[in-house]
Amino acid sequence: MSVTRSFKATDLFKFNHINLDLWTETYAISFYLSYLSRWPDMCAVQETPQGRMMGYVIGKAEGSGTERHGHVTALSVAPEYRRLGVSRRFMAWLEKVSDENYRGLFVDLYVRCVNFAAIQMYEGMGYSVYRRVREYYSNLGLGHSVRDEEDGFDMRKPLPRDPMRRSVRSNGRDIVVSANEVP
């Protein structure tokens, strides 16, 4: 049986097999360490009984007032452990921490517009597109046009503190903003 546990700094030396995926954004070690020091309760790994990392999630709390929310900075699962519910468990866990520890109104994340599998997965978890952000990502060379490859969807899911669902919108795919306009 696999285990979910807190992400430790030493895990940075054990996650290359996860981060070498085309869709995974990889950051400098200082970036990961800043998350582990500021939001340790929003960083977790899933590992096998033998200690092999299956995936990880790092997040943060941000905003204030009606914009107080949890943010998924990175979620990645090694290819051999996909379709086992690891991402779903990470997201449920991060949503709970965002709600209970940080009193967030919603959880948001960014995903490449051409990452159809991830978009479908997040929609299946109750997330919806809040807006399209032009040129949010670097070009991967995979899509129909260069511009599409660089755009990202800002996806959100309301938490219990937002029963009126004010943090989401039904026409998010029609709302397009520049990356410069995103805080």
Side-chain angles (χ1 to χ4, degrees):
M1 180 105 178
S2 65
V3 170
T4 302
R5 63 164 175 78
S6 295
F7 196 124
K8 301 180 293 193
T10 54
D11 291 326
L12 295 171
F13 302 111
K14 302 189 310 186
F15 74 170
N16 280 349
H17 69 287
I18 299 168
N19 271 11
L20 294 176
D21 180 86
L22 178 67
W23 300 111
T24 300
E25 293 290 319
T26 303
Y27 306 98
I29 288 178
S30 60
F31 182 86
Y32 293 103
L33 292 174
S34 71
Y35 272 75
L36 293 174
S37 66
R38 290 191 64 194
W39 301 282
D41 56 343
M42 296 188 83
C43 302
V45 302
Q46 184 86 17
E47 67 182 11
T48 67
Q50 296 77 29
R52 181 168 170 79
M53 284 180 59
M54 300 167 69
Y56 69 90
V57 63
I58 60 172
K60 64 181 177 178
E62 59 186 4
S64 60
T66 59
E67 289 297 312
R68 183 77 177 154
H69 66 281
H71 174 73
V72 180
T73 302
L75 184 152
S76 192
V77 177
E80 63 270 28
Y81 300 111
R82 292 186 183 152
R83 301 197 180 277
L84 298 175
V86 176
S87 293
R88 187 171 296 279
R89 285 191 295 277
F90 279 145
M91 293 303 290
W93 172 79
L94 198 130
E95 291 162 12
K96 183 178 179 183
V97 172
S98 296
D99 179 37
E100 294 177 2
N101 296 10
Y102 295 97
R103 303 181 53 79
L105 276 80
F106 61 94
V107 171
D108 78 342
L109 58 92
Y110 287 86
V111 62
R112 289 179 187 271
C113 293
V114 296
N115 191 346
F116 304 116
I119 294 165
Q120 183 177 19
M121 178 188 73
Y122 290 125
E123 288 175 337
M125 293 180 201
Y127 286 77
S128 61
V129 175
Y130 183 74
R131 62 188 169 182
R132 182 180 184 127
V133 181
R134 288 275 182 213
E135 300 179 5
Y136 186 79
Y137 289 103
S138 298
N139 184 335
L140 284 177
L142 295 176
H144 301 296
S145 73
V146 172
R147 178 122 5 240
D148 284 342
E149 293 167 358
E150 297 173 346
D151 292 357
F153 283 140
D154 175 357
M155 298 186 77
R156 295 184 178 188
K157 179 179 181 178
L159 295 175
R161 283 189 178 72
D162 185 15
M164 303 300 290
R165 300 177 56 85
R166 292 188 175 123
S167 59
V168 295
R169 54 171 68 122
S170 60
N171 65 337
R173 290 177 190 257
D174 299 330
I175 308 298
V176 181
V177 298
S178 166
N180 300 334
E181 299 174 55
V182 177

